[in-house]
Amino acid sequence: MSAILHACGLKVRFGGLEAIGGVDLCVRAGAIHGLIGPNGAGKTTLLNALSGFVRLAAGQLRFNGHEIAGRRPDAIAALGLSRTFQNIRLFGAMTVLESLLVGAHRQFDMGAGAIVLGSARSKVAERAMIGRAHMLLDFVGLGADTAARVATTLSYGQQRRVEIARALMSSPQLVLLDEPLAGMNALEKQEIATLVRSVRAQGTTLLLIEHDMQIVRDLCDHLTVLDHGKRLADGPPRDVLADPAVQAAYLGRGR
Amino acid sequence: MSIFTKTTEGIGIVLLWIALVLAPVRAVAKDTITIGFTAALSGDSAAFGLNIRKGLELAVEDLNRRGDHTYRLVSMDDRGEAREGALIAQRFCSDPTVDVVMGYSSASIALAAAPILDGCKLPVIASAATSPALSNISPYFHRNVLTDTVQGGMMGQYAARTLGLSRIYVLNQQDDYGIGVARAFSDGAQKAGAQVLGTESYLVGTRDFRTMLTRVRMARPDAIFIGGYYTEAAGIARQARALGIQARFLSTDGALNTELMKLGHGAVEGMVLYGMFDPSAAAPETAQFVRAYRAAHGEDPGAWSALGYDAGKTLEAAVRLAAQNGQVTRESLNAAFAQVKAVPGATGPTTFQPSGDRDGVLHFFAVDHGRFVSLAGGVAPLAQPQGAYPAKQGAGPVGDTIAYFGQLLANAVVLGAIYALTAVAFTLVYGVVRLVNFAFGELFMLGAFVTVSLMLSRIQLVGFTLPMPALPFLLAALLAVPVTAALGVAVERIAYRPLRRAPRLAPLITSIAVSILLQSLAQTVWGAEELRFPDFALSSLPPLVLFGTIYFSVMDLVVIGAAVAAMLMLALFISRSRLGRAMRATAEDQTAAQLVGIPVDRVIAAAFAIGSGFAALSGLLYAQTYGFAHFSMGFAPGLKALIAAVLGGIGSLPGAALGGLVLAVAETIAGGVLPDGAAWKDAVGFVLLVLLLLFRPQGLLGRREMNTAGRGSLLDGTGVAFGPVARRIFARVDAGMARIGHNPRGLALGALAVAVLLGLGLSSDYWLTCLTMIVLYGTLASGLNLIVGFAGLLDLGFVAFWAVGSYFTAILFVSVLEHAMGAAPRQIWWLFYLDLPLGGLLAAGLAVLLGTPTLRLRGDYLAIMTLGFGELVRIVATNWIGLTNGPMGIRGIPAPALFGMPLASARAQFLAALVLAIMVVFVLTRLVRSYIGRAWVAIREDEDAAAGMGIPVARYKLYAYATSGFIGGITGVFYAHTQHYISPLNFDLFENILLLMLIVLGGIGTFAGPFVGSVIWFLFLQFSLGIPFVQNHPETRFALLGVVLILLVLFRPQGLAAGLRVALILPGLGRERPASAAPLATPATAASTETGA
Ligand SMILES: Nc1ncnc2c1ncn2[C@@H]1O[C@H](COP(=O)(O)OP(=O)(O)OP(=O)(O)O)[C@@H](O)[C@H]1O
Ligand SMILES: [Mg+2]
């Protein structure tokens, strides 16, 4: 299969610190791609770099046929790359339904005039997206009653799901999930893993960060290992996890 | 059904309440004469009104002792604003106990009020409104002061004929008084054979005249006429002498005040002025008044007090006459005013002409040994003005030019030192806590006040005389710095520290509130007038002269030296000391600093202490340089320093120092080179700021930073300190609001029904006008709420949009169509409806121009830029006289009309305002409840997450800013047509802060909040006017405003109406469910859903 995301020689610097030091990454379309590495390895920073949230010091970055290095996050999102955040970032004071509609921002295209006049077309578009939001809530396993709740008052696990649903609202081609399983119990982890699989089953590619090796082994088609901002290994999970260098770097410090 | 009953029940309660509120004012005994007094009693020009009132109070006491009638004084503060003046006039009209109106410290307010008072046949005696435009304005309008034209013309002739002056330079303050007097003076002087070498104008409140005077010096006049008030006249005289200008000073009745000598420090010796009151006159009334005044106030009376006193005496004569003929009514009093002849008074006999003007004599005075000495017995040979130095100038035009620019540069360096010092204060605190502390201007002011207070031997505080230690300058300054620093730390502790983790908007709002609070308190404590900076040995030394042409004082050197030394010490401290290093670490990363054991709270307190100390130091140096301390003195330098800090790169200490110097040089050179540069120089900083943000947003020496914004909004209800307590207090309000919040339509219809019923049912024009104001301010606040409440950006220049809309339609209707083309407003009534959207679009266009460079940057920049923008629009409106008619404002803006039928009555205007408000709120709700509004709220809550959802953040901020500008613009158009008169005074920063307060009070980010806030504030304002303490200290209302704002942000950031959470989806759509359980849409099917939809 072809690569949907192709990064080459990415570098990110924070002052004197080189958080990402020349990383290559290739995510194939339709894959569940895992990104692993010890704490502080630069995984989140890499995700931020891919989605335009930090400035690249060097490197090329192609997404879906577009060169996206140096583009703003919203422009990259508009091309069909969507993401969640390691520390959940839902919009305070918004209901779940409203938050999800923000995720569908790019799907709306009527002008201010149509909105003010309450044109039929704008109402139809609004209805369609509300319908989609309810469907996605159902899809990520949230009850219909959550739609009207203020998102930040939900439980941690529910907030994670809202964030994932929000990221899916725009019908993205690639979703970046930063530790979607963090802080969950075993049952919840299985549920989210199933959710991830069914997202892929719909044809959406996923790149996710995860620390739980068991889940990673089962869930991912492909793994990339980061350490100290460098790519340590890359390949099918079985091979990568067996790599002694990975074990040394990862487990050596993970204790 | 339940909504309906609830709504009607609600209406019933509101109506009952209003009926109680509007119940007739307390009965007053019939033989009591009530004087409605109105003037500016707070703010920059409060001195005139306060003095008139002092005189009038003496007269009233005197009359009450004699006992024919009882006289009662009801005093209202119009704050120098025509809108307030109009409202107060309406209030007097609808209060049947008011028999006569007095006061009026400025013509613009009298012009706005006269037609209203004419409408209810309420007679007026004004005592300081001198504009010729007031002659013949109404048969009910009288004044006991001569017009500018008469006075200025007589002075011109006197100067040329009697004083024998031939080469005169004319300066005037930029308002109708200054311009009128200066024009009349020039005419008079030229007719009498003198030559006018040139004219320059300056804004009231200007402190630094050196640029202008350097230009004057080039012309080598033998006299300088200063057409303005005493504060500026004293400043000009002082600075002119310090520049070696040898001319004789001439000035006006506006300068004829003993304050002139206090503030002039000897430089005003020999100044010749005119006035209507000669305290040394032999008339028994004069002597009696002077005696009574001295006994009551312990000082000599000024002309304005005398005129206030005489207004009281004239009233008594008229009352007697009216009582002889029958009952004393407004009508009979007015008739009596026309009949009384030569009523004796402190300023001579009063007789009114049919035009309402007074016959009177003008007296001429000279300042002689610190006293005004009458020149009545002919002109005694005047002593040469003291402190004059030979104005040696370079030889030839080249030498002149070098001398000119050399002097300008020398001026700039002194100014630059002060700017730099304050900018360093801003930048230090910004660097450490990322907070733009708008209250530094006030700490600057307090530094000056504390120093001056300590240098005196006794002082009047809140009206009480206290002994003071009379310390020498150096010691006082050394004490004032730590005192102010301690205050700065206290402010930080109370108003900022609890908000450290709060969204960025919160401390910005409290810092504005602190600024308002400190300013109002300073006015209460030290009074409304300038406090003279005492002379001391160093400051009394003769100026130093470089190359025979460049003048500067010893104290100038001290200022520069102190500033440089302070900055060097700070640099050493930051780089060498432990605390300094901790400060740098905290600036880099607060959390990390905390982790490595740095006591962040203490470090930040230290930064505030140093910043406040620096502000105090520059404030006291500034006050020393210009010779006074005043409660409003911190605003302009504060703004300049803020601009300087941004110019240099906010957060960078050397940058702030450089920025201060660059700004001072740019301002001074531009002021010296551009035509009418002195009046325009305050706009220079803002232009530099815009250019900088376009081309080098990080500032001259600053670091590039990511566009980061504090996350979260004020709406999540986490009142920082006592959240739970506040929640308990507001529990019932919240529950009620939440209940109606579930039915926004019911709420809107209920509120509308109440408003319409009030509009149709109320009979008092005064209350209808109040309601119109409430609705208009609610509408304006709704516009501001869009950017502040929904998009989460602090806008301090919103009033500029309002001003643009107002001026646009006023210029079109009055200047272009009526005056230039002769069109009758009646025929072009439809244009008003076209102007509404056009004015809105014009404002929105400006918003785009300003927002495009600004909104790409951090949120704080918007606050700073908009603050500058608001000032810029005010400067343009004030100075571009050809377009806007300057401070005189534009009069005669026609009321809106429908098919030629004017909507001029208070009722029609209220209903029209209501229609406008409904339209604005409707558009707002539609926008907010769409993907656009959701994008705004998403940006407010989390800018990064919003960008991650594909929202182009900068563009949506711009949409919000432009839409809010649009609302400001159309409301401005409407406002102009309901007020009929606009002037730059309507649109000052305070109005913006007030609007901000309304939305924070009512509920930020809700549709109802702005209106809730508006209702509460206006009712409070109107009722508080009846409280005697507030009448005497009107500024305390604004102190209260500041306190309320701080408390709200700390404890109840979401405001009163927070329960009315705004749904971001149109009602009725929220419960939409998919028709069938379609599979999760893949990109392809999503597209088809969308196109299919
Ligand atoms: N904005 C920033 N400024 C400075 N340094 C940063 C910034 N963001 C991350 N870093 C540093 O970059 C390095 C990589 O951080 P990153 O968050 O990408 O690691 P991570 O692999 O996601 O770790 P974790 O598993 O804990 O989430 C860390 O040393 C971190 O301190
Ligand atoms: Mg991470």
Side-chain angles (χ1 to χ4, degrees):
Chain A
M1 266 207 263
S2 63
I4 187 166
L5 183 81
H6 192 94
C8 186
L10 290 190
K11 277 189 185 172
V12 174
R13 284 198 197 97
F14 295 119
L17 174 83
E18 190 157 83
I20 303 287
V23 166
D24 299 337
L25 181 72
C26 181
V27 179
R28 278 176 305 146
I32 299 179
H33 192 128
L35 184 61
I36 63 171
N39 287 339
K43 305 180 295 294
T44 299
T45 307
L46 181 59
L47 233 58
N48 284 344
L50 300 179
S51 50
F53 280 84
V54 298
R55 202 202 314 250
L56 289 177
Q60 281 138 29
L61 189 54
R62 287 189 77 76
F63 170 65
N64 216 4
H66 303 274
E67 179 62 47
I68 58 167
R71 291 211 197 177
R72 286 197 323 263
D74 59 274
I76 296 175
L79 292 173
L81 188 152
S82 176
R83 67 169 293 179
T84 65
F85 297 87
Q86 181 169 357
N87 44 347
I88 303 174
R89 294 174 81 163
L90 290 172
F91 302 116
M94 268 200 207
T95 66
V96 169
L97 182 58
E98 289 161 3
S99 306
L100 259 59
L101 290 180
V102 173
H105 180 80
R106 287 280 180 171
Q107 318 290 321
F108 293 96
D109 59 355
M110 54 281 185
I115 291 171
V116 170
L117 298 177
S119 78
R121 208 171 80 78
S122 81
K123 280 195 178 141
V124 167
E126 196 92 342
R127 279 211 180 90
M129 280 306 139
I130 292 171
R132 181 172 165 74
H134 281 290
M135 202 174 61
L136 273 171
L137 280 183
D138 198 42
F139 179 74
V140 300
L142 287 172
D145 56 315
T146 45
R149 305 234 339 244
V150 171
T152 44
T153 62
L154 297 176
S155 75
Y156 177 78
Q158 287 175 314
Q159 292 197 23
R160 277 263 174 245
R161 290 167 197 260
V162 172
E163 221 194 2
I164 294 173
R166 185 179 71 179
L168 292 174
M169 274 302 284
S170 59
S171 313
Q173 299 180 39
L174 174 63
V175 183
L176 313 181
L177 302 174
D178 197 346
E179 306 202 17
L181 305 178
M184 295 198 166
N185 63 33
L187 180 66
E188 284 175 321
K189 283 188 180 179
Q190 281 312 322
E191 283 173 10
I192 300 283
T194 314
L195 176 61
V196 167
R197 286 198 189 91
S198 40
V199 172
R200 193 260 301 269
Q202 307 283 344
T204 306
T205 313
L206 294 110
L207 172 67
L208 57 89
I209 300 176
E210 182 44 49
H211 285 287
D212 185 330
M213 288 311 132
Q214 196 54 50
I215 299 263
V216 166
R217 195 193 310 268
D218 295 347
L219 186 59
C220 299
D221 315 317
H222 195 101
L223 280 187
T224 301
V225 186
L226 280 188
D227 189 24
H228 287 116
K230 291 261 180 355
R231 193 173 84 173
L232 198 62
D234 188 72
R238 205 170 305 274
D239 305 354
V240 166
L241 293 177
D243 186 337
V246 172
Q247 283 182 349
Y250 207 86
L251 305 173
R253 255 188 311 179
R255 257 188 318 246
Chain B
M1 170 222 115
S2 74
I3 314 142
F4 202 75
T5 44
K6 222 166 247 142
T7 313
T8 34
E9 191 187 317
I11 296 171
I13 292 173
V14 171
L15 285 181
L16 187 69
W17 183 73
I18 284 170
L20 282 176
V21 161
L22 301 188
V25 215
R26 75 222 136 221
V28 170
K30 201 64 217 120
D31 57 349
T32 297
I33 307 294
T34 302
I35 304 168
F37 179 85
T38 170
L41 301 175
S42 62
D44 282 341
S45 55
F48 297 103
L50 292 171
N51 275 327
I52 298 175
R53 196 173 66 182
K54 278 186 195 165
L56 183 57
E57 278 166 352
L58 275 183
V60 166
E61 267 170 41
D62 190 29
L63 300 182
N64 281 338
R65 259 197 302 275
R66 288 199 243 146
D68 288 359
H69 286 83
T70 313
Y71 291 82
R72 194 170 71 98
L73 195 60
V74 180
S75 167
M76 306 263 154
D77 175 21
D78 61 36
R79 304 206 326 259
E81 276 178 31
R83 175 173 45 78
E84 288 296 315
L87 207 56
I88 290 170
Q90 221 128 31
R91 187 177 169 124
F92 287 153
C93 272
S94 40
D95 180 348
T97 64
V98 173
D99 301 294
V100 61
V101 176
M102 290 187 179
Y104 289 113
S105 49
S106 87
S108 59
I109 295 169
L111 281 162
I116 297 168
L117 298 171
D118 182 82
C120 64
K121 306 190 187 319
L122 193 48
V124 188
I125 303 181
S127 292
T130 51
S131 164
L134 283 163
S135 302
N136 287 317
I137 194 166
S138 147
Y140 295 88
F141 188 85
H142 313 79
R143 52 181 156 178
N144 61 3
V145 62
L146 294 178
T147 67
D148 301 332
T149 331
V150 174
Q151 302 194 32
M154 285 163 88
M155 181 67 179
Q157 290 181 11
Y158 187 79
R161 292 232 177 88
T162 317
L163 299 177
L165 299 164
S166 59
R167 295 166 51 80
I168 308 177
Y169 211 106
V170 176
L171 309 178
N172 69 276
Q173 75 184 26
Q174 191 84 296
D175 65 7
D176 46 2
Y177 174 71
I179 294 172
V181 163
R183 229 173 251 162
F185 172 88
S186 299
D187 285 353
Q190 278 166 336
K191 277 200 197 106
Q195 186 191 354
V196 173
L197 301 175
T199 56
E200 300 278 338
S201 35
Y202 57 87
L203 297 180
V204 180
T206 304
R207 306 301 188 193
D208 184 78
F209 301 98
R210 291 197 266 198
T211 305
M212 182 176 87
L213 289 171
T214 306
R215 203 185 276 199
V216 171
R217 194 176 71 178
M218 295 262 283
R220 287 172 227 190
D222 57 25
I224 298 175
F225 175 75
I226 308 167
Y229 299 151
Y230 56 87
T231 314
E232 288 80 13
I236 288 173
R238 235 181 129 235
Q239 292 171 32
R241 288 290 180 256
L243 284 172
I245 293 176
Q246 202 190 8
R248 177 178 300 285
F249 299 117
L250 312 169
S251 195
T252 65
D253 57 341
L256 190 69
N257 186 314
T258 44
E259 292 291 313
L260 177 77
M261 270 76 83
K262 289 192 199 154
L263 299 173
H265 294 258
V268 295
E269 272 299 301
M271 184 183 279
V272 176
L273 312 93
Y274 59 80
M276 299 201 51
F277 172 60
D278 177 2
S280 64
E285 286 77 14
T286 311
Q288 188 196 341
F289 167 67
V290 172
R291 225 178 307 122
Y293 192 94
R294 273 199 196 130
H297 300 289
E299 56 183 10
D300 279 344
W304 306 112
S305 302
L307 288 167
Y309 181 82
D310 284 2
K313 291 285 176 184
T314 312
L315 173 65
E316 188 212 17
V319 167
R320 269 213 214 120
L321 189 64
Q324 275 170 20
N325 301 343
Q327 252 197 345
V328 181
T329 63
R330 291 175 177 181
E331 278 286 8
S332 69
L333 253 185
N334 195 55
F337 280 141
Q339 287 160 17
V340 291
K341 294 274 178 290
V343 183
T347 64
T350 299
T351 305
F352 294 118
Q353 298 168 356
S355 64
D357 293 335
R358 174 190 174 178
D359 293 324
V361 279
L362 206 57
H363 304 274
F364 294 97
F365 305 89
V367 179
D368 185 16
H369 293 92
R371 301 174 53 88
F372 291 117
V373 175
S374 173
L375 298 174
V379 196
L382 286 164
Q384 262 302 307
Q386 284 189 0
Y389 309 99
K392 228 199 287 169
Q393 306 244 337
V398 179
D400 268 4
T401 310
I402 292 173
Y404 183 57
F405 283 100
Q407 183 69 56
L408 285 182
L409 270 181
N411 302 345
V413 171
V414 181
L415 196 61
I418 290 170
Y419 285 173
L421 212 49
T422 325
V424 164
F426 270 115
T427 234
L428 178 70
V429 165
Y430 185 89
V432 175
V433 272
R434 301 288 128 106
L435 165 68
V436 178
N437 182 9
F438 287 104
F440 267 137
E442 278 55 50
L443 294 168
F444 176 99
M445 171 264 295
L446 288 174
F449 266 120
V450 173
T451 311
V452 175
S453 305
L454 290 174
M455 288 173 74
L456 296 172
S457 56
R458 62 195 162 81
I459 191 169
Q460 284 230 322
L461 296 182
V462 209
F464 299 103
T465 308
L466 294 180
M468 290 307 273
L471 298 179
F473 170 70
L474 199 63
L475 210 54
L478 280 179
L479 269 174
V481 171
V483 166
T484 316
L487 189 71
V489 172
V491 166
E492 193 271 336
R493 183 71 196 78
I494 295 165
Y496 305 145
R497 189 186 297 180
L499 299 173
R500 191 131 340 126
R501 304 255 164 258
R504 192 70 70 74
L505 195 55
L508 280 180
I509 294 178
T510 49
S511 90
I512 301 247
V514 168
S515 151
I516 288 274
L517 173 63
L518 292 180
Q519 223 182 88
S520 309
L521 284 183
Q523 186 181 351
T524 310
V525 172
W526 280 283
E529 297 192 21
E530 276 81 1
L531 192 61
R532 160 204 167 104
F533 202 100
D535 285 321
F536 49 96
L538 264 186
S539 74
S540 320
L541 293 176
L544 306 173
V545 185
L546 211 60
F547 312 123
T549 52
I550 300 174
Y551 282 66
F552 52 94
S553 71
V554 178
M555 274 313 288
D556 287 347
L557 291 183
V558 172
V559 169
I560 297 170
V564 170
M567 288 189 281
L568 282 180
M569 266 157 57
L570 181 66
L572 268 179
F573 169 79
I574 294 280
S575 63
R576 296 289 159 80
S577 76
R578 266 189 57 164
L579 187 54
R581 278 198 299 272
M583 230 171 247
R584 273 186 297 159
T586 311
E588 279 303 322
D589 187 339
Q590 237 178 70
T591 333
Q594 200 128 38
L595 287 179
V596 300
I598 292 173
V600 168
D601 276 345
R602 246 185 292 156
V603 168
I604 290 175
F608 265 88
I610 298 175
S612 311
F614 267 59
L617 178 62
S618 48
L620 71 93
L621 291 176
Y622 182 88
Q624 195 286 321
T625 305
Y626 299 109
F628 72 94
H630 186 241
F631 70 87
S632 72
M633 67 183 273
F635 175 68
L639 184 56
K640 295 290 170 58
L642 195 51
I643 291 177
V646 177
L647 280 182
I650 192 154
S652 153
L653 292 176
L658 180 66
L661 197 62
V662 167
L663 180 61
V665 170
E667 259 183 12
T668 310
I669 299 291
V673 173
L674 297 176
D676 213 5
W680 285 99
K681 71 176 175 9
D682 286 338
V684 170
F686 180 75
V687 174
L688 280 183
L689 200 58
V690 172
L691 290 178
L692 186 88
L693 291 193
L694 276 176
F695 298 110
R696 198 180 157 81
Q698 71 270 37
L700 297 175
L701 300 182
R703 280 187 303 182
R704 209 176 262 281
E705 268 187 70
M706 281 286 281
N707 182 2
T708 56
R711 248 193 279 163
S713 66
L714 298 177
L715 274 83
D716 50 8
T718 42
V720 189
F722 294 101
V725 179
R727 208 168 304 138
R728 217 169 309 139
I729 296 173
F730 286 102
R732 296 196 53 187
V733 180
D734 284 349
M737 292 280 183
R739 218 172 324 122
I740 26 180
H742 277 303
N743 193 314
R745 266 189 201 159
L747 168 72
L749 288 179
L752 194 60
V754 171
V756 170
L757 281 179
L758 280 177
L760 296 176
L762 277 180
S763 58
S764 147
D765 276 0
Y766 167 64
W767 281 107
L768 281 168
T769 311
C770 273
L771 283 181
T772 310
M773 279 299 145
I774 290 175
V775 170
L776 280 182
Y777 269 71
T779 313
L780 283 166
S782 297
L784 181 61
N785 193 24
L786 174 60
I787 184 87
V788 179
F790 287 106
L793 295 163
L794 185 56
D795 177 359
L796 293 173
F798 181 75
V799 279
F801 299 130
W802 174 15
V804 165
S806 286
Y807 269 106
F808 164 70
T809 195
I811 290 168
L812 194 63
F813 263 92
V814 178
S815 315
V816 178
L817 290 169
E818 205 180 324
H819 291 167
M821 296 167 67
R826 220 167 243 286
Q827 286 155 1
I828 45 169
W829 61 272
W830 47 266
L831 187 62
F832 164 70
Y833 299 93
L834 196 64
D835 272 8
L836 284 172
L838 285 181
L841 284 178
L842 186 67
L846 279 176
V848 170
L849 274 184
L850 182 76
T852 307
T854 312
L855 289 168
R856 291 177 310 175
L857 306 167
R858 279 193 310 274
D860 305 325
Y861 278 102
L862 189 73
I864 299 171
M865 283 293 279
T866 50
L867 184 64
F869 176 60
E871 277 305 289
L872 182 78
V873 166
R874 227 161 57 82
I875 292 171
V876 171
T878 310
N879 284 324
W880 193 349
I881 295 184
L883 184 72
T884 64
N885 203 27
M888 290 70 82
I890 299 180
R891 242 173 274 293
I893 307 162
L898 205 54
F899 299 102
M901 184 183 71
L903 305 172
S905 74
R907 195 182 311 283
Q909 299 218 333
F910 169 64
L911 293 174
L914 208 54
V915 172
L916 178 77
I918 292 167
M919 294 201 309
V920 164
V921 172
F922 177 77
V923 170
L924 259 184
T925 51
R926 278 284 166 90
L927 283 179
V928 165
R929 289 172 173 159
S930 76
Y931 73 100
I932 299 176
R934 292 190 292 263
W936 288 334
V937 173
I939 290 170
R940 175 189 82 197
E941 295 295 331
D942 189 333
E943 218 174 293
D944 289 338
M949 301 301 116
I951 297 170
V953 172
R955 188 166 351 134
Y956 272 79
K957 283 183 182 171
L958 195 60
Y959 290 162
Y961 192 46
T963 312
S964 105
F966 185 83
I967 295 174
I970 51 172
T971 317
V973 171
F974 187 87
Y975 177 86
H977 288 272
T978 56
Q979 291 295 303
H980 315 308
Y981 169 63
I982 54 165
S983 84
L985 284 176
N986 295 132
F987 310 107
D988 64 2
L989 176 69
F990 180 77
E991 292 297 316
N992 206 82
I993 294 169
L994 182 61
L995 290 174
L996 190 64
M997 210 285 301
L998 299 186
I999 60 182
V1000 175
L1001 178 63
I1004 196 163
T1006 63
F1007 296 129
F1011 292 93
V1012 171
S1014 180
V1015 167
I1016 294 175
W1017 173 251
F1018 273 90
L1019 291 183
F1020 163 71
L1021 213 56
Q1022 299 316 316
F1023 288 116
S1024 69
L1025 280 177
I1027 306 168
F1029 176 76
V1030 175
Q1031 290 180 3
N1032 288 326
H1033 291 280
E1035 74 280 357
T1036 46
R1037 285 177 296 167
F1038 306 110
L1040 184 68
L1041 176 74
V1043 172
V1044 168
L1045 208 48
I1046 296 169
L1047 291 179
L1048 274 173
V1049 174
L1050 284 181
F1051 302 128
R1052 176 76 185 179
Q1054 67 273 48
L1056 288 177
L1060 299 174
R1061 207 195 73 84
V1062 168
L1064 303 172
I1065 299 172
L1066 280 179
L1069 289 181
R1071 306 203 190 299
E1072 207 67 31
R1073 299 303 313 259
S1076 62
L1080 167 64
T1082 57
T1085 54
S1088 71
T1089 318
E1090 204 192 327
T1091 46

